[in-house]
């Protein structure tokens, strides 16, 4: 990254088309190169309705790159529930104000026709067996649709081949969406994308609820009840830190005391593959590394969370 990391606290340039995006990126990279050094480009894909979790991604990407692009696109293809898509919060003006403060250079906010010019793609990406479990089991097609748009966004924001500057390209995703992150990493490798996939830790409320754009649909009572997710994960984390047997069913039992929260899964998996760890959690003391994955429904809102064990 060069010393002249670009100007901060300015309105980002909001672009709507792929051509505008490509031209804006080339323009910024050339300006960085003129100031000396190689150039780095960061992309933060989002669906908007930005909160402090997104701001953390943007701050990390800002600190590591000369040129920062944030995309805002509510991708219908990854919604298996039409009502969920319709009510997904859309707050572009407020998002752009947040991104101006956060120092984004370019906001890419395309219309659906720009991303999917011929409607639903004929040529599809398949998220395979991993895409069919956990979130994929409850949201059929979700991960295929997510990969479709991420593949396009990574492609559309790639440093243009015509750009005279060698540029390092990185894209940033939150660890909150752990399964998404594993699938995106795998896709980038499978398709030889020249991009580094970077992950950013989960941001929570002071009480422990992972921030999510859909949290705004929770009533105060539901938000309070949802804290059982954090309590349950912590119960297991404490046992893991002490290398005790985990007794995962004790954590699952906590959910039975919260009628507003319907647990979907509470699973200990390998952090890299998300394969379930096979061991007797009542007898075997926990050693090694694992990732605890949780999903629960609170009213109409599906919440996901996770925490690493053994690090
Ligand atoms: N609490 C959080 N901490 C860190 N990263 C987050 C958090 N919430 C979302 N992200 C990341 O921000 C990026 C954009 O996510 P997205 O726009 O879907 O927001 P979201 O809050 O996850 O919305 P929702 O969960 O309602 O879909 C993703 O990479 C996601 O993992
Ligand atoms: C990566 C993403 C922006 C693709 O639409 C979305 O799945 C999200 O916000 O996590
Ligand atoms: N952050 C996950 C996007 C989705 O729920 O579709």
């Amino acid at each position: 990254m060069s010393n002249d990391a670009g100007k901060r606290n300015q309105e980002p340039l909001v672009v709507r088309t792929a051509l505008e995006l490509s031209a804006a990126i080339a323009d910024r990279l050339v300006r960085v190169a003129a100031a000396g050094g190689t150039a780095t480009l960061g992309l933060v894909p989002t669906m908007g309705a930005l909160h402090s979790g997104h701001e953390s991604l943007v701050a990390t990407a800002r600190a590591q790159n000369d040129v920062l692009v944030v995309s805002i696109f509510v991708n219908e293809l990854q919604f298996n529930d039409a009502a969920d898509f319709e009510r997904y919060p859309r707050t572009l003006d407020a998002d752009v104000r947040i991104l101006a403060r956060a120092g984004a250079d370019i906001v890419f906010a395309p219309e659906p026709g720009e991303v999917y010019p011929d409607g639903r793609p004929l040529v599809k990406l398949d998220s395979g067996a991993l895409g069919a479990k956990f979130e994929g089991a409850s949201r059929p097609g979700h991960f295929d649709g997510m990969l479709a748009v991420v593949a396009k966004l990574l492609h559309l924001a790639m440093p243009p081949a015509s750009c005279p500057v060698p540029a390092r390209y990185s894209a940033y995703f939150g660890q909150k969406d752990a399964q998404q992150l594993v699938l995106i990493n795998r896709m980038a490798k499978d398709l030889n994308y020249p991009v580094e996939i970077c992950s950013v830790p989960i941001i929570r409320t002071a009480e422990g609820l992972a921030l999510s754009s859909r949290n705004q649909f929770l009533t105060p009572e539901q938000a309070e009840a949802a804290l059982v997710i954090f309590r349950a994960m912590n119960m297991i984390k404490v046992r893991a830190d002490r290398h005790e047997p985990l007794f995962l069913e004790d954590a699952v039992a906590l959910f039975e005391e919260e009628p507003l929260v319907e647990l979907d899964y509470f699973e200990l998996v390998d952090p890299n593959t998300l394969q379930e760890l096979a061991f007797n959690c009542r007898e075997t003391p926990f050693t090694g590394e694992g990732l605890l994955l949780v999903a629960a429904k609170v009213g109409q809102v599906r919440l996901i969370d996770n925490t690493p064990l053994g690090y």
Side-chain angles (χ1 to χ4, degrees), residues 73-90:
F73 180 65
V74 184
N75 173 41
E76 186 170 6
L77 221 61
Q78 72 188 66
F79 285 78
N80 60 306
D81 173 354
D84 188 28
F85 174 68
E86 290 306 326
R87 72 170 165 256
Y88 199 86
R90 289 156 171 91

Side-chain angles (χ1 to χ4, degrees), residues 45-48 54 71 73-75 78 88 142 145-146 149-150 153 173 177 180 184:
T46 81
M47 300 204 303
H54 301 111
S71 66
F73 180 65
V74 184
N75 173 41
Q78 72 188 66
Y88 199 86
H142 166 62
M146 179 281 293
V149 81
V150 172
L153 293 169
F173 298 90
D177 295 270
Q180 167 171 288
I184 291 171

Side-chain angles (χ1 to χ4, degrees), residues 3-243:
N3 289 335
D4 179 12
K7 299 165 216 75
R8 306 282 183 268
N9 298 321
Q10 281 195 351
E11 283 294 310
L13 180 68
V14 180
V15 296
R16 297 288 191 167
T17 69
L19 271 179
E20 286 168 349
L21 176 65
S22 187
I25 289 171
D27 174 64
R28 297 299 189 287
L29 289 176
V30 167
R31 278 201 252 163
V32 170
T38 58
T40 53
L41 172 68
L43 169 69
V44 180
T46 81
M47 300 204 303
L50 301 182
H51 51 64
S52 307
H54 301 111
E55 286 180 65
S56 168
L57 259 66
V58 172
T60 304
R62 178 68 285 171
Q64 296 178 357
N65 294 282
D66 296 306
V67 180
L68 174 58
V69 179
V70 179
S71 66
I72 297 180
F73 180 65
V74 184
N75 173 41
E76 186 170 6
L77 221 61
Q78 72 188 66
F79 285 78
N80 60 306
D81 173 354
D84 188 28
F85 174 68
E86 290 306 326
R87 72 170 165 256
Y88 199 86
R90 289 156 171 91
T91 56
L92 183 61
D93 291 345
D95 291 346
V96 172
R97 283 196 293 276
I98 289 173
L99 293 173
R101 283 200 301 276
D105 297 306
I106 302 166
V107 176
F108 179 45
E111 293 297 330
E114 187 67 21
V115 179
Y116 298 108
D118 289 327
R120 290 194 165 246
L122 178 68
V123 178
K124 299 195 171 86
L125 287 167
D126 182 345
S127 57
L130 177 54
K133 51 206 273 197
F134 303 125
E135 284 312 282
S138 295
R139 300 179 65 183
H142 166 62
F143 286 118
D144 293 354
M146 179 281 293
L147 289 179
V149 81
V150 172
K152 281 170 176 272
L153 293 169
L154 290 177
H155 178 67
L156 292 171
M158 203 173 282
S162 59
C163 186
V165 200
R168 183 169 59 73
Y169 180 33
S170 309
Y172 295 78
F173 298 90
Q175 280 164 15
K176 189 193 72 163
D177 295 270
Q179 193 175 1
Q180 167 171 288
L181 191 54
V182 171
L183 284 164
I184 291 171
N185 257 305
R186 188 60 202 264
M187 177 186 74
K189 286 191 185 127
D190 286 350
L191 300 182
N192 293 90
Y193 267 88
V195 64
E196 186 185 350
I197 304 297
C198 305
S199 73
V200 179
I202 300 176
I203 302 296
R204 305 173 178 284
T205 63
E207 293 76 29
L209 183 64
L211 297 187
S212 162
S213 305
R214 292 183 180 92
N215 286 359
Q216 59 188 265
F217 299 129
L218 297 173
T219 65
E221 201 187 7
Q222 288 171 328
E224 178 71 28
L227 295 177
V228 67
I229 297 173
F230 190 60
R231 282 203 305 281
M233 290 193 310
N234 268 345
M235 172 190 265
I236 302 303
K237 197 166 175 49
V238 167
R239 291 174 186 173
D241 287 346
R242 294 182 185 148
H243 304 295

